[in-house]
Amino acid sequence: MTRRVYTSPALTDRHTATTLTGKTYCFKPREEAVVRAPGSLCPSVSQEGSYILGYRKPSLWLYIMEDTDVEQVTLALLDAATDKDSEVQEQVRKSMLTLGKQQPDRVLAMCQDYLLKHPKLLVSHRVVILQTIELIVGCRIEEISNPRIKSIISLASDEMTRSKEVIPDWQQAASNILVAVGNKHINDIMEEILSKFQPGLLPHFFVVKTLANLSDSNVYGMVPFLNAILGTMLPMLSMAKQDNMKWVFSSALCHFSDSILEYLANLDKAPDPTVRKDTFSSEIYAAFDILFNNWLQSRESKLRWTVAEAVGSMSHLMASDKLEEQIPKLIPAILSLYKKNNEHYIISKSLCQVLDASVSMSSRVLETQLDSLLFALHQQVSAPIDYSNPPTVKNHNEVLRCFSLLANSFPDRLVMFVLQKLENSNERSRLGSLAVLRHFINSTTSTMENKKLLILVSIRQPMADHSNKVKKRVVQVISAMAHHGYLELEGGELLVRFIVQHCALPDTYQRGQKPADPEEVTNEALRSMCDNTLHLLTTTVGRLADVLWPKLLYYLTPPQFSNATTPLCKSLIVLGSKKKSNQEPNFNIDFTVEVNLPSPQTLMVRLLVNAAFPFSSRGHGAPSLSLLQILSINIHPNTEILWEKEMPPLLSILEESTAESLDKKQWGEKLLKLLSKTLSTIDDDKWVCQLAAEATRYLSTYNNALEEKRFLYQCIGVTLKQCFNKEVVKKQLQEMLLTAKHSDAIEREGVAMGVGLCANSHLEGTLAKLEEFGKSDAFKKSPSIFNLLKERNDVEVEKVKSTLILCYGHVALNAPPEKILTRIDQDILRAISKHFNTKVLGIKVETKDLTMKLSLVQSVGLIAKAISECVKKQGYVFSRKQEIINVLLDFIKAEPADSLRTPLRHLVIATFANLMPLDPALSENESFELLKVCVNTVFSLPPEIQTPEKTKDEETLDPKQRKALYKDTLAALQDLLKSFLARDPTPDGLQNIFKHIESWLSSGQDHERERSVKAISHLLAFYLDNLNVKNMVTFHNLGALLGRLSPRCSDPHPAVRTAAVDCIYSLLYIQLRYEGFSLDYKDEGVDSLLLLKEKLDNPDHSVLYKTCSDLTKVMSKRLPQQQLTTLVFMLFEGLVDSQANCCRASSVILNTLLKNRGGGLQELVPEMLEVLHVRLQNITEEQVRVAVGQTVLILASQHLQTVVNTLVNQPLPYDSWTSEMWMALGADPIVANQIMEMVMEKLLIMAPYVDQRDSMMRGGTTKVATNQPLAMTCGLKELLLNGQSQEPALSRFPQLFSCLTVRLGASVGVSAPKDNNNKNTASIHVAGVAADALRILLARAQLDEVMKRLDEDKAWDAMKEANAHVIGVTLLARAMAKHAGPRLPSIVECLCPSLNNIYECQRVTVTAFFSELLNHHVVTELMLIDVLMNNMMERISDPCCTVRMLAVRGLGNIALGSPEKVNKYAKELLAAMSSGMEEKDDPGKLITLEAMSGLSKVLLYLDKKNVHLLVVYIFMKIKPFLESENDEIRCASIHLMGNLSKFGSGEPVFKDQIHNVLVSLLLHLVDPNPEVVKACKFSMRVCAPVVGSEQITTMFQNHLHEDKSLHYGEFINDLTKYLIQDFPGMLNFYHISVIQFFKSSWAEVRAGAAMFIGFLLGNLQEEHFSHLNMGTITKGLVMLLKDPDPVVRVKAAEAMGHFH
């Protein structure tokens, strides 16, 4: 038996031990064990040698220990403990711990031995081993023997103190062992530790640290020792000179103090309840004296913190008189530390403990320190808190605790101090003071009770602070005050105002922006906080209801609180609803008593205006309406019932709307209607008059919100309309006109609307007031009105005039119809004219002011509308119509042509449209001029999306405004054109308008064409709708209009296309009406045009072709013969249109027209053909060339042979013209058929390529395609592209398919011929041409599924390339077999002759095709099986290796395609497969692979009688391939083994063979190749019944499914249990087999082998260990633990964990 020598730690003086061999070991303290014979004495121990840290250096006394496997494994794990891979390290530790848990004494001994044997081990390595010891001790402390515990203590103590230098990781690990042992063996630990903690000697750093940690982990065990420890320690303190020793003593004293305090706090659980605080007081005070007086002032900050922390903990244990004596020095000393350290938490914590101790004993001297304390604490509480840095948060909380402790003893001093500090305007100081104040309010309620009024007064100063951070803290304080009854006191309303004021804050940043400083308190954040606070005060502090109601109403009307409306309304709704439902008397507001509140009228106006802009000010619309409903009885008793009915539907509209979807105009009208109904219901003229007066006074509050102000003007108008007091009406109109801000367009419009609404009931008074105002001082530069309007300059006067002009327009629109006509000329127009024209020296000078122009135009438009309404009932001649038109035309002409910045064009053109129907009518010249100016000024505008450049003094419109302006301007032009046509609804009238638009149709700008075509479309639709044919009239311009408009149906701009179809639709229906068809007649052809519009949305050219063709058929049918020539020549122009799409449309329309109506244009054909023939080579548009090519085909169809000969001799590759010619030839089935015959004949008899010798230097040959077969293939490809070739292609499909497949085979790897005259020839991909032709043929044969499958599988690319050609052909055959079965017999018949072809490449192609066909049952159904099988058997002996491989594959495929035929060919199949597995001429083992795969498939269907005798023979053939480096061969061999299983069931010899390979299969379950893994699962599952174990069989069949994942570890663990149980005799064979895989080339398999062995060992009972060679296993695992792959090392380490 081998022996191994180890060094071992000693135990104690008197310990000996005897081994099983009879050897006795004598142990000496801290020395080495020596071996002695029985009866001999222990030899003396040499006293020589050096000392390390107070211990003698171990002498090399040795002892001998038996060499066991566990020890070898443990040693290996110890060696690997610092593996470079972290996962391996972790697993090594786990395994060590596992072994340690099972055999703690043994493993601990090994660890000790290892450390002693390797004294120079790296520190990191020692640390890992020590940590392992700690873990074992920690979890198995109860099971470790006392001798071992003592030796561990000795080892840890030695490791901890061996180096005098502090080496933290090493010594901490050793210390941790002592602490872990100390949890149970405190006495032994203390014996060891105290031996190194001797009086008069400075101990090792970690001895003290260990004592400190022990006091934490075992309070009840340590405290009884502490008095003695403190006694020993005190003299040491003065010996400590180094900072680290001072630190460790201070830390220990802190821990000791905390432990004593914990012990005293839990005396009921303590082992010695007699322990008292005074037991330790004197020692603690003595230590305190040194720490405080000597060490606290150290320069080392870490030491200062620790001393401070210790002093804090010790203060509770000091005698009261001593503490009282020290306070005057202690507190200043601690406070001084704040300046010396950046980290303040420890200092604050210590200070808090000192204060707690002082307050607890009612210290009398504490008050003397109060000033300095408060000053320092205030500085701390004012420090910013970093919530991402927990110590700053803890520090803040400790400081607040200090304040609380002091406040309980000195409440008055503390409150006065904080309130005085609030006066300091420094931001930090205020933030700190507010934090303390809030803390006081919340935590010391009783103390604060008599100081509430003082606090209320003092809080005002920080409320005025400008800092948002301070305001945020103020809000928090106010919230606390509200919950403690402060707000009900006098001055509480200021706090409410503060909250509301900050609910109204504007945004700091625009949407999407973020503050640069994360600590910044933005307005948004502060506002949100105030919103929440107001809501909380309303809902959670019940007693505040009477403080807030109704006083919050005050804040609704001042404009500075407008942004707070939403939270205010919500709070008021909550308060009001509650009071109303509880029927509280103070719900009804007495506005005479509550003088500070706005009046009911002002409240109603404010809330109504809010509601008109519901999504402004954070969505104040709905809350405003809801509040108005709550307040109804307070506004006026009569409103309650009306609003209960009217408000809910309005609120529903808002709920369902967004800011974008709400129709603002309609919404405003609803609210004005509500106001009108409300005033009628109130029925109190005095109340209404007051409302008008207050609303007018309230106007000025909206000076910065002009949209709202405009609505308020409308409200005033509605109010005045219902006001019966004429004096009030007059006064309010005067007030409105005087106070209005006339320079703003929105306000001018608002005033005019209000005045207009008032005129509905007070026409005379309104006109009188306007005239009076027009003559007033407002229009004079005179000091007499200086105070009212200040001095007005000319510009301001013109703005006032603009307002008046607009007022007259709105008065005309709103006045009663029966009264207005008489007033238009004499009052309204006269006044407008007077204000618009200025006299200079008696001559009228027209204004250039845009505002006045706009007002004039708007006003005239409103007047025209008013007249239009009136003339329906009474006649009227508008005598000043032409005069007004001329003025307005001048306005337009003066506008810049390149921009649209003002609504002037839109308003003028809209006004023209309103004026057109009015008498008198315009002359021809006047009409021409008007149309020309209006059309040109609108169509020439730049596109809407183009941003105009800013000019001086002009603002650029935003995109929304510009879009609306463009839309309105174009709509106004449409209306104007219609009004012109309405005056002359004839072809000539139409032409008069069309001539202004025609030139814009072919513009190069999309937006100009779109505008022109849309204008004509609307015009023609209007013409058709209003057409009334009384006589048979000729629509003489139909051909010209169609010729200009029909090519636009293919315009590149979709909007133009759609509008053009609408034009043609209207034109053809107009023609039908002129032909005499009735109004309700519907023409099916013309109506079909509307369906074509949808197709025009599709930009696909073929769709556009078809659509244009259909369009032409409809036009051709309805077009009179005399208009045809005009149309054709217009279309010739269209071929060279500026837009390529329109060229295409012209060509399509032209061809279609010639097909349908060309008989009448015979004399034009020669000219047309000549032009088209020349242009064909110049037209770049593909579709146009195709269309022209079709025309050429008609001419060439009678000269087939000549055309074909010419095309074949064209240089390769064909240019686009030649290709188009070939494709055109396919249009005629007879011609196409003849060409196909010709091509197939040539390809059959001509050589596909020739071998050309490479250069003399390189040698070898290259295959080069012959010219004519290549040209024929190219031509056939182009011909087949024509859809018309489908019929002849189908009739000759088998011949064409076979021809092109064989041609493809002969083209793979073949180069194109070189032509010195044409360098492009060499660029042809010869095989690509054949593949493309074959692809087009399949498409022509409508084999869509075949095409789809081939495209999905990317088969075409494969077929063209030599290295993937076989795969591509296989995919082709597969697709044909699945989706084109009925065509196969003819194809097979055509392909068979090619199997004997002299060209090897063609034989490969056909064999691959046939091989795949055998994979499908369709060949049996079609009775092709015999033909194909015979061909494959013949090819087995083909000289070409690839053909032989494909033949073997084909024979194997019969099992999948026609399994019922397998036994028929059993003999031939087995012979072929066997010879395939023995193939010698098989460099890539491809034939072998196919033979195994084929045999696997065939075996599934062979009868047992045919295979029985060959099973073992085949098995033996397979076995060498199981470990093949080739993944596919490995996979195929495993699969084949599985398929053999059914033939071996019941055969003992087969069962043996399965057990022979079982380990291999199990380990390949983790093979790196997933296909091999699947094969293993399959084979093991099907072989399971043969194994001979029911449990294993069940396990394999339940868990080994190819599509399910497998937890390999659990699987192997369970399996090893069954192997041990069912096959104990095989264990020796199994484990030897597994060990062989330790050297596998795959890391995964090596790792699997390690796992297998690990679980085998883990599950093995003791009696079976005799079956295993543990030495070999151990060596193997030790080797694997050094494997280069970390995964293997992890598994080896894991396996080692099972050695127990």
Side-chain angles (χ1 to χ4, degrees), residues 1248-1249 1273 1302-1311 1325-1328 1330 1360 1401:
Y1249 59 83
T1273 311
V1302 173
R1303 170 70 192 168
L1304 176 58
S1307 303
V1308 172
V1310 176
S1311 303
H1325 193 303
V1326 180
K1360 289 188 267 190
C1401 54

Side-chain angles (χ1 to χ4, degrees), residues 1138-1249:
S1138 64
Q1139 302 303 312
N1141 278 25
C1142 297
C1143 297
R1144 296 182 201 129
S1146 297
S1147 66
V1148 174
I1149 295 167
L1150 185 62
N1151 275 346
T1152 311
L1153 203 58
L1154 290 174
K1155 282 180 186 175
N1156 293 341
R1157 303 278 295 274
L1161 300 171
Q1162 288 166 349
E1163 69 282 1
L1164 298 173
V1165 172
E1167 185 184 346
M1168 287 167 56
L1169 287 177
E1170 186 181 343
V1171 172
L1172 294 173
H1173 185 266
V1174 172
R1175 286 191 180 171
L1176 182 61
Q1177 293 167 62
N1178 298 321
I1179 294 170
T1180 54
E1181 287 302 316
E1182 192 66 27
Q1183 284 80 355
V1184 182
R1185 292 175 65 182
V1186 170
V1188 175
Q1190 289 172 341
T1191 312
V1192 174
L1193 173 63
I1194 298 165
L1195 298 174
S1197 61
Q1198 297 172 6
H1199 308 284
L1200 178 63
Q1201 190 64 53
T1202 308
V1203 170
V1204 170
N1205 288 343
T1206 305
L1207 294 179
V1208 166
N1209 290 316
Q1210 289 296 313
L1212 290 172
Y1214 291 144
D1215 58 29
S1216 59
W1217 177 75
T1218 310
S1219 296
E1220 286 165 30
M1221 291 302 98
W1222 270 108
M1223 192 166 78
L1225 294 175
D1228 186 336
I1230 297 167
V1231 172
N1233 200 16
Q1234 290 171 346
I1235 293 172
M1236 288 173 190
E1237 284 274 9
M1238 202 184 302
V1239 170
M1240 286 192 292
E1241 184 182 338
K1242 292 284 186 188
L1243 291 178
L1244 185 64
I1245 61 173
M1246 297 181 83
Y1249 59 83

Side-chain angles (χ1 to χ4, degrees), residues 868-918:
S868 299
E869 287 299 313
C870 296
V871 294
K872 291 175 184 174
K873 300 175 184 176
Q874 47 194 307
Y876 181 75
V877 174
F878 191 15
S879 57
R880 301 183 69 175
K881 174 179 169 181
Q882 186 56 48
E883 179 192 342
I884 290 171
I885 286 174
N886 289 338
V887 171
L888 300 186
L889 273 175
D890 289 342
F891 287 178
I892 287 190
K893 289 174 186 175
E895 282 290 283
D898 61 345
S899 66
L900 182 64
R901 289 193 179 90
T902 72
L904 191 64
R905 277 188 183 87
H906 151 232
L907 293 171
V908 169
I909 296 171
T911 303
F912 285 155
N914 287 330
L915 289 169
M916 276 308 103
L918 305 180

Side-chain angles (χ1 to χ4, degrees), residues 953-967:
D953 301 329
E954 280 187 318
E955 289 296 321
T956 305
L957 297 170
D958 71 47
K960 276 188 181 176
Q961 288 175 314
R962 188 183 303 115
K963 186 175 181 180
L965 195 50
Y966 267 86
K967 184 181 172 185

Side-chain angles (χ1 to χ4, degrees), residues 1055-1199:
V1056 176
R1057 296 201 291 269
T1058 309
V1061 174
D1062 290 335
C1063 290
I1064 291 163
Y1065 173 84
S1066 299
L1067 281 169
L1068 295 179
Y1069 259 116
I1070 292 168
Q1071 173 63 23
L1072 286 169
R1073 296 285 176 270
Y1074 278 120
E1075 286 177 14
F1077 287 95
S1078 62
L1079 288 173
D1080 57 353
Y1081 173 74
K1082 291 289 176 191
D1083 185 286
E1084 191 178 331
V1086 180
D1087 283 345
S1088 68
L1089 294 180
L1090 297 177
L1091 300 173
L1092 296 181
K1093 278 208 294 186
E1094 295 173 14
K1095 296 180 183 176
L1096 288 172
D1097 286 340
N1098 189 335
D1100 185 84
H1101 295 147
S1102 61
V1103 177
L1104 290 177
Y1105 261 2
K1106 180 74 171 63
T1107 310
C1108 288
S1109 179
D1110 294 344
L1111 180 81
T1112 312
K1113 287 173 187 172
V1114 177
M1115 289 196 312
S1116 173
K1117 188 176 176 184
R1118 301 295 352 154
L1119 188 72
Q1121 185 64 31
Q1122 65 270 27
Q1123 305 254 7
L1124 183 60
T1125 306
T1126 314
L1127 175 54
V1128 167
F1129 279 97
M1130 280 285 185
L1131 290 169
F1132 269 119
E1133 285 183 39
L1135 286 174
V1136 289
D1137 192 275
S1138 64
Q1139 302 303 312
N1141 278 25
C1142 297
C1143 297
R1144 296 182 201 129
S1146 297
S1147 66
V1148 174
I1149 295 167
L1150 185 62
N1151 275 346
T1152 311
L1153 203 58
L1154 290 174
K1155 282 180 186 175
N1156 293 341
R1157 303 278 295 274
L1161 300 171
Q1162 288 166 349
E1163 69 282 1
L1164 298 173
V1165 172
E1167 185 184 346
M1168 287 167 56
L1169 287 177
E1170 186 181 343
V1171 172
L1172 294 173
H1173 185 266
V1174 172
R1175 286 191 180 171
L1176 182 61
Q1177 293 167 62
N1178 298 321
I1179 294 170
T1180 54
E1181 287 302 316
E1182 192 66 27
Q1183 284 80 355
V1184 182
R1185 292 175 65 182
V1186 170
V1188 175
Q1190 289 172 341
T1191 312
V1192 174
L1193 173 63
I1194 298 165
L1195 298 174
S1197 61
Q1198 297 172 6
H1199 308 284

